[in-house]
Amino acid sequence: MAVVRGCQLPDDLLYDVDNNMWYREQADGTVMVGMTAVAVAMAGQLVAFTPKRVGRKVEAGKSCATLESGKWVGPAKAGLNGEVATVNEDLVATPKTANADPYGQGWMLTVKPENWVVAKAALTPGSAVAAKYEAKMQADGFAGCG
């Protein structure tokens, strides 16, 4: 597992570094989507999570959910085109779960991808993500997860 400025970035995930999102392929062909430890550290304690509903389309670079913390409200941008297959209702009920466990119980939704081969090629494997995140944190002036 890569650790950049105190932020954990598991090797078994794929990352959209620009949007601070992670992706995990599922056995059923869907892709699990969540926020990185970097995203939740930057946002602070989450107080609301409003995902797109099951059956709705998501587009790469567009919002798949809205997140709200004490200091920020904004979109969680998808890194793939597809359809929402499931939503983490536990996260809707208890948004701060993402702060405590962003790569486990804090997942956001699963998506049936339109063209996973193309979307996957645009993502960064966990084994290669450390340098990209170091550069992004430097550019953003982000000290790290603490």
Side-chain angles (χ1 to χ4, degrees):
M1 176 180 314
V3 178
V4 179
R5 298 187 183 198
C7 301
Q8 295 183 349
L9 300 160
D11 291 341
D12 65 330
L13 302 176
L14 296 163
Y15 295 90
D16 174 356
V17 175
D18 290 341
N19 292 307
N20 294 311
M21 300 289 285
W22 62 260
Y23 301 86
R24 179 183 292 133
E25 294 177 80
Q26 303 295 292
D28 64 0
T30 62
V31 177
M32 185 176 279
V33 180
M35 299 167 285
T36 64
V38 176
V40 296
M42 290 174 77
Q45 190 75 33
L46 294 179
V47 297
F49 165 66
T50 309
K52 282 198 170 189
R53 291 188 299 272
V54 171
R56 302 290 282 217
K57 294 285 185 192
V58 295
E59 292 181 47
K62 305 278 185 180
S63 178
C64 63
T66 301
L67 304 165
E68 182 176 349
S69 72
K71 60 183 179 180
W72 183 80
V73 176
K77 294 182 180 178
L80 71 166
N81 295 325
E83 179 182 307
V84 176
T86 58
V87 167
N88 185 348
E89 295 295 344
D90 291 338
L91 190 61
V92 173
T94 312
K96 66 183 178 182
T97 301
N99 294 92
D101 189 13
Y103 303 114
Q105 297 302 311
W107 64 277
M108 298 186 337
L109 41 86
T110 62
V111 175
K112 294 177 201 166
E114 282 180 11
N115 190 337
W116 179 233
V117 173
V118 171
K120 185 177 179 178
L123 300 173
T124 303
S127 59
V129 79
K132 286 187 177 187
Y133 255 113
E134 180 59 46
K136 179 172 177 39
M137 290 179 186
Q138 180 70 30
D140 292 349
F142 180 62
C145 300

